[in-house]
Amino acid sequence: GEGDEDDELLAPAMRTMSDSDADEEEEGAAAAAASEPPPAAPPPVDEDVFVTVLGEFYNWAAERKESFESDLGAAEAAFSALRLFLGEEALTEPEQLFEPLHKFLVRFDAVAKEVEDAARESARQEARQARRQAKQGPKGPGRLPNRILLDESARSQPAQRPDVTDVVAAAGGGAAGGGAAGG
């Protein structure tokens, strides 16, 4: 109920307010348009805006373009001379001439790196082996482990002769008594 009746009563007033708001907006837009200056006319066709705005850059770029064209001519002449020198007159593009050389250089660099890596690894292994040998001591025919040396020395040395004092003591004469020698 009651809310619907209120909406019906307020609807004409709402329409009137929105109509008057729209009228005010139209009047404001018209007034603003009248106070703004008209848009600038496009420049004449015969005047180049780029040169006017970026004149210094344009002059520099024009000089550089001439320099680049001169360098390009020199490079093309050098390429033609190189083609003739290498006997490849049929090749028309630098890529055709330089691709085999490029492939060779890439492969050469890869092989050179492999050789360097192998040499480095070999040096590391030699250093490890030298450290192991230093920790264990020298080996080979000139040096045997201590246990073997003791066994070998006992076998290779002639039997030791008994000490004189031991012989005298065994004979019963003792060193102090002078027994057999004193008589």
Side-chain angles (χ1 to χ4, degrees):
E2 286 181 29
D4 292 338
E5 291 174 8
D6 290 338
D7 289 342
E8 289 176 13
L9 292 173
L10 293 175
M14 298 277 284
R15 270 183 259 153
T16 308
M17 286 177 58
S18 63
D19 291 343
S20 66
D21 289 344
D23 291 343
E24 287 176 12
E25 287 178 15
E26 288 175 10
E27 290 172 7
S35 67
E36 290 181 7
V45 177
D46 59 344
E47 182 180 323
D48 190 358
V49 176
F50 180 77
V51 174
T52 305
V53 175
L54 300 172
E56 185 177 328
F57 172 76
Y58 179 80
N59 292 335
W60 175 83
E63 291 173 11
R64 297 299 299 163
K65 180 181 178 248
E66 290 173 9
S67 173
F68 289 147
E69 287 174 349
S70 170
D71 292 346
L72 177 62
E76 288 174 343
F79 177 68
S80 293
L82 181 63
R83 279 188 332 192
L84 293 174
F85 177 75
L86 295 176
E88 298 288 346
E89 295 91 13
L91 301 179
T92 58
E93 296 298 320
E95 294 83 13
Q96 294 172 324
L97 183 65
F98 293 116
E99 184 178 14
L101 180 61
H102 174 73
K103 285 181 179 180
F104 168 78
L105 291 174
V106 168
R107 289 181 188 147
F108 182 82
D109 289 342
V111 169
K113 185 179 183 309
E114 288 177 16
V115 168
E116 288 173 3
D117 291 345
R120 230 180 278 125
E121 184 59 31
S122 176
R124 282 187 201 128
Q125 287 178 354
E126 289 175 7
R128 282 186 213 128
Q129 187 176 6
R131 283 192 302 264
R132 270 191 241 122
Q133 287 179 351
K135 286 180 183 178
Q136 295 175 353
K139 289 187 177 182
R143 173 84 174 145
L144 298 172
N146 289 339
R147 181 176 48 84
I148 296 173
L149 278 177
L150 291 176
D151 293 342
E152 289 293 319
S153 66
R155 282 187 226 144
S156 65
Q157 290 181 0
Q160 291 183 352
R161 296 192 295 176
D163 192 23
V164 175
T165 55
D166 291 338
V167 173
V168 173

